[in-house]
């Protein structure tokens, strides 16, 4: 997000390419390629698709910006795209709400 985080999709792509080039330059190929984390205020599924296509391995989901239903939906989409989610919480209340909704979704 250019406004909140000062970055663009092109930045994600450039970091991915640099990581791959650095790994290819290593002759013994023993180093793992570092994951690319894309920090954006993700509110819609299309953002996940765009970030995955740009080369992201992980995304940040801001718990306070999403309803429980939207959070669960976005994590399912991210999982289907093989994107890891890092969840940002700013209060114990958000954490409890998040954990209770996650646990209830696992049992269904």
């Amino acid at each position: 997000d250019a406004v909140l985080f000062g970055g663009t999709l092109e930045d994600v792509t450039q970091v991915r390419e640099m990581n791959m080039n650095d790994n290819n330059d290593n002759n013994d190929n023993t180093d793992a390629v570092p994951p690319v984390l894309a920090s954006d205020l993700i509110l819609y599924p299309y953002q996940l698709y765009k970030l995955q296509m740009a080369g992201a391995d992980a995304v940040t989901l801001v718990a306070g910006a999403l309803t429980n239903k939207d959070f669960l939906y976005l994590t399912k989409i991210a999982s289907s795209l093989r994107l890891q989610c890092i969840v940002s919480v700013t209060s114990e209340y958000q954490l409890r709400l998040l954990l209770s909704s996650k646990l209830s979704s696992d049992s269904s």
Side-chain angles (χ1 to χ4, degrees), residues 66-86:
L66 300 167
T67 65
N68 286 348
K69 182 179 177 183
D70 289 341
F71 174 80
L72 292 172
Y73 183 60
L74 290 173
T75 56
K76 287 180 183 178
I77 292 172
S79 178
S80 73
L81 295 171
R82 295 187 166 180
L83 290 170
Q84 296 293 312
C85 292
I86 295 176

Side-chain angles (χ1 to χ4, degrees), residues 14-94:
Q14 286 178 355
V15 170
R16 165 60 60 215
E17 290 172 357
M18 287 187 333
N19 279 348
M20 295 305 289
N21 289 339
D22 286 348
N23 193 50
N24 289 338
D25 290 344
N26 183 358
N27 292 334
D28 61 9
N29 288 327
T30 58
D31 293 335
V33 177
V36 176
L37 170 63
S39 288
D40 197 353
L41 181 58
I42 297 173
L43 301 173
Y44 305 104
Y46 80 88
Q47 292 172 281
L48 296 172
Y49 289 99
K50 287 171 67 174
L51 289 168
Q52 190 267 343
M53 289 180 67
D57 297 302
V59 295
T60 303
L61 296 179
V62 179
L66 300 167
T67 65
N68 286 348
K69 182 179 177 183
D70 289 341
F71 174 80
L72 292 172
Y73 183 60
L74 290 173
T75 56
K76 287 180 183 178
I77 292 172
S79 178
S80 73
L81 295 171
R82 295 187 166 180
L83 290 170
Q84 296 293 312
C85 292
I86 295 176
V87 182
S88 172
V89 295
T90 57
S91 69
E92 186 176 338
Y93 173 76
Q94 285 179 357

